Amino acid sequence: APKVSSSRPLLLDADQSRAGSPDAAREANMTKPGKRKPEGPDTEDTLCCCEYLDRKGERSHLAACLCECEDLDECCERWLTCKSLPPGILERIADTFADRFRFPWLKGAVKIDISLLPPIILLPVFLHVAALHFLLAVVILISLPVLVLWYYYLTHKKKGQTLFFLSLGLFSLGYMYYVFLQEVVPRGHVGHGQVTLLTCGLVLMLVALFRAKRNPGYLCQTNTDKALYQGSSSKANRNGLGSSNGLYRAAVTGMVMNSNTEGYSRLLNKEPGRITEDWCTKCQLLRPARAGHCRICSRCVKRLDHHCVWYVPWGSSLINSCVGEQNHPAFVLALSLFLLTAVYGISLTLDTICRGKATIKALFYCPGVYMDYSYAYVKHLSLLSSSALSFTCVWYCTIVTSGMGYILLTQLLNISYNVTEREARIALRENTGRRWFGGMIVDTGQYNHGFLRNWVQFLTLRSPLLQHSTEDIV
């Protein structure tokens, strides 16, 4: 009996020590299909092309993308039995699907953003369907802008960052150019010089977009900001000031923190003869005049104009980016080049498919294009052998160009009055400053120095020394 009782603890200790060994852990991970725990900090270096680390930090494989789908199974079971779904299950299914939607790559499977796919798949389908009949074209060309605007307001309201607008913008450019080369150019009415000019305009616009990737002017916290924040906090604690009314007394003369301004606490310098400076409690820094905090990027930007969802800061981790002091001129240049290139491409296409008609008249009346498309579709089974698709793409480009033209016009008017889009919205909301044409033109009067000086200041935003010298000359 003593031998048996003494050997049992020894066996248990051996099993416990083996359970805590690396071999046992590796065997335990192998028992779960498709997933293994990461074994060290260099796990990503040892991943094969089909492996990845999921959102839980576990090592998984693309072959196991259909494993462990409890939420999906529960959702299907409740749907078949006509039961209500528990709250949050659809969001969990969407997150799981987005995490497992990957592409094999050299050092592990790369995650693909699902928002990239709808424009690439749906835009050609919608345009081909719209080319079948005039009424289908009207319905689809009206629905597309409505859906895009609805998705924009949905993501903007939720402070979301998406690749949808990047995919839509770049793919629309590429697909329109492809249709132009495949349908319009082979007809022989467009010369090589015109094709070269259109291509150069497209390339220059992409170069301007690439230059717009620059830092818009993000503000960074300095030692002075840290000391000011610590001093104001300690001062407020000693005086027993709370945050219930949104007001705090800072440790700096003539400055007050107000948390009711634009949702963030601000430090306002109201000393006469000095430029107003704001304190941002989100970034915990003192920002200069005309700077603002972007709630989507969660950073403060010098001379913040607005947050744009259409162009791409290739060098940063965000797709949506701000238009600020450093990239505002490049943004306006890209809009101008897009407008000129689009109008030139539309005119070339209409002159080709509607021979003998003026461009504006051909845009609204070009008989025979949809009949030609239907005949080609039935007789030759070629979706790109008629002018209906080209005419539909012309109207799609016209709608997009009209929207971009409105944005460009607003930008030019704001520059002429030295007002940013953010300052114009604040003036409209607070009913300050002068306005014309229903608020399309806003003049706050605070930074307006005349038409010429305003444009000189805008064109020299990225060169402070050049800006001061040119202003002195003017």
Side-chain angles (χ1 to χ4, degrees), residues 46-346:
T46 60
L47 293 176
C48 74
C49 62
C50 296
E51 290 183 323
Y52 63 94
L53 297 179
D54 60 9
R55 55 179 179 168
K56 298 180 181 179
E58 298 179 344
R59 191 167 183 169
S60 185
H61 197 277
L62 293 179
C65 61
L66 300 179
C67 299
E68 298 183 3
C69 302
E70 293 84 0
D71 293 330
L72 182 60
D73 296 339
E74 182 181 359
C75 182
C76 294
E77 182 180 354
R78 287 177 172 269
W79 179 71
L80 293 175
T81 56
C82 299
K83 296 181 180 179
S84 60
L85 298 177
I89 188 171
L90 295 179
E91 289 78 3
R92 292 196 300 270
I93 294 175
D95 294 339
T96 303
F97 180 76
D99 183 59
R100 298 182 182 183
F101 191 72
R102 296 175 180 264
F103 184 79
W105 200 245
L106 298 178
K107 293 185 179 180
V110 179
K111 186 177 179 180
I112 301 176
D113 199 307
I114 302 177
S115 59
L116 282 171
L117 301 181
I120 297 176
I121 298 175
L122 297 180
L123 182 62
V125 174
F126 285 159
L127 292 179
H128 280 84
V129 172
L132 293 175
H133 197 272
F134 172 75
L135 294 179
L136 288 175
V138 172
V139 172
I140 291 178
L141 291 176
I142 292 176
S143 302
L144 280 178
V146 174
L147 291 175
V148 171
L149 290 176
W150 170 79
Y151 187 72
Y152 167 74
Y153 285 112
L154 181 64
T155 55
H156 188 72
K157 183 179 180 180
K158 295 183 177 181
K159 304 179 184 180
Q161 295 166 355
T162 174
L163 294 176
F164 175 82
F165 301 102
L166 161 67
S167 178
L168 179 62
L170 295 184
F171 184 72
S172 296
L173 289 175
Y175 189 71
M176 297 302 108
Y177 187 68
Y178 170 78
V179 173
F180 178 80
L181 294 179
Q182 292 293 320
E183 173 63 21
V184 180
V185 175
R187 299 195 176 197
H189 301 294
V190 179
H192 295 289
Q194 294 172 321
V195 176
T196 303
L197 184 60
L198 182 67
T199 305
C200 290
L202 184 62
V203 172
L204 290 176
M205 185 198 62
L206 294 177
V207 171
L209 288 176
F210 180 77
R211 291 185 63 86
K213 78 177 181 62
R214 296 177 183 273
N215 187 337
Y218 291 125
L219 292 171
C220 300
Q221 190 181 45
T222 62
N223 294 329
T224 305
D225 298 328
K226 295 179 181 179
L228 182 61
Y229 175 73
Q230 295 175 357
S232 62
S233 300
S234 60
K235 183 74 174 180
N237 292 333
R238 287 198 300 268
N239 293 338
L241 296 177
S243 60
S244 58
N245 57 357
L247 295 174
Y248 300 85
R249 180 65 57 181
V252 181
T253 305
M255 296 186 179
V256 177
M257 268 201 263
N258 187 354
S259 62
N260 293 328
T261 307
E262 294 185 355
Y264 309 115
S265 299
R266 311 181 91 195
L267 190 80
L268 303 180
N269 186 346
K270 295 188 177 181
E271 293 183 4
R274 295 186 60 183
I275 298 177
T276 302
E277 293 180 323
D278 300 340
W279 175 264
C280 178
T281 56
K282 293 290 183 179
C283 301
Q284 297 181 4
L285 54 82
L286 190 65
R287 58 193 185 194
R290 311 191 75 177
H293 183 90
C294 178
R295 63 188 183 93
I296 299 179
C297 295
S298 299
R299 297 191 67 177
C300 286
V301 182
K302 295 179 183 178
R303 197 182 178 276
L304 175 64
D305 189 81
H306 69 286
H307 183 93
C308 182
V309 299
W310 291 99
Y311 76 93
V312 192
W314 311 76
S316 63
S317 59
L318 299 176
I319 294 301
N320 296 336
S321 182
C322 295
V323 177
E325 182 179 276
Q326 298 297 318
N327 61 352
H328 198 177
F331 174 76
V332 175
L333 178 61
L335 283 178
S336 304
L337 291 174
F338 172 82
L339 191 65
L340 295 175
T341 305
V343 171
Y344 185 63
I346 289 172

Side-chain angles (χ1 to χ4, degrees), residues 4 11 41 87 123 144 171 184 214 228 371 374 435 461 463:
V4 173
L11 292 174
L123 182 62
L144 280 178
F171 184 72
V184 180
R214 296 177 183 273
L228 182 61
M371 294 174 58
S374 301
R435 66 192 68 186
L461 281 176
S463 303

Side-chain angles (χ1 to χ4, degrees), residues 248-464:
Y248 300 85
R249 180 65 57 181
V252 181
T253 305
M255 296 186 179
V256 177
M257 268 201 263
N258 187 354
S259 62
N260 293 328
T261 307
E262 294 185 355
Y264 309 115
S265 299
R266 311 181 91 195
L267 190 80
L268 303 180
N269 186 346
K270 295 188 177 181
E271 293 183 4
R274 295 186 60 183
I275 298 177
T276 302
E277 293 180 323
D278 300 340
W279 175 264
C280 178
T281 56
K282 293 290 183 179
C283 301
Q284 297 181 4
L285 54 82
L286 190 65
R287 58 193 185 194
R290 311 191 75 177
H293 183 90
C294 178
R295 63 188 183 93
I296 299 179
C297 295
S298 299
R299 297 191 67 177
C300 286
V301 182
K302 295 179 183 178
R303 197 182 178 276
L304 175 64
D305 189 81
H306 69 286
H307 183 93
C308 182
V309 299
W310 291 99
Y311 76 93
V312 192
W314 311 76
S316 63
S317 59
L318 299 176
I319 294 301
N320 296 336
S321 182
C322 295
V323 177
E325 182 179 276
Q326 298 297 318
N327 61 352
H328 198 177
F331 174 76
V332 175
L333 178 61
L335 283 178
S336 304
L337 291 174
F338 172 82
L339 191 65
L340 295 175
T341 305
V343 171
Y344 185 63
I346 289 172
S347 63
L348 290 179
T349 305
L350 288 177
D351 291 341
T352 301
I353 63 178
C354 301
R355 301 293 298 172
K357 293 184 178 293
T359 302
I360 301 298
K361 184 178 179 180
L363 182 62
F364 294 96
Y365 181 71
C366 187
V369 288
Y370 292 99
M371 294 174 58
D372 181 32
Y373 189 91
S374 301
Y375 175 80
Y377 180 76
V378 175
K379 297 296 182 181
H380 305 289
L381 298 179
S382 177
L383 296 179
L384 290 176
S385 63
S386 67
S387 56
L389 181 61
S390 300
F391 189 75
T392 306
C393 291
V394 163
W395 261 106
Y396 175 76
C397 290
T398 303
I399 295 173
V400 175
T401 304
S402 301
M404 294 299 176
Y406 174 79
I407 296 175
L408 178 61
L409 178 61
T410 305
Q411 289 289 318
L412 297 179
L413 292 174
N414 289 341
I415 295 170
S416 301
Y417 287 92
N418 202 354
V419 178
T420 62
E421 186 67 24
R422 171 176 170 269
E423 293 167 351
R425 289 198 303 266
I426 294 176
L428 292 174
R429 184 173 65 246
E430 298 179 355
N431 198 19
T432 58
R434 297 180 298 173
R435 66 192 68 186
W436 298 273
F437 300 103
M440 185 175 181
I441 303 177
V442 178
D443 181 17
T444 60
Q446 187 174 4
Y447 303 102
N448 189 0
H449 303 294
F451 179 83
L452 185 57
R453 293 190 64 181
N454 292 340
W455 272 96
V456 169
Q457 181 182 1
F458 173 77
L459 295 176
T460 56
L461 281 176
R462 300 185 64 250
S463 303

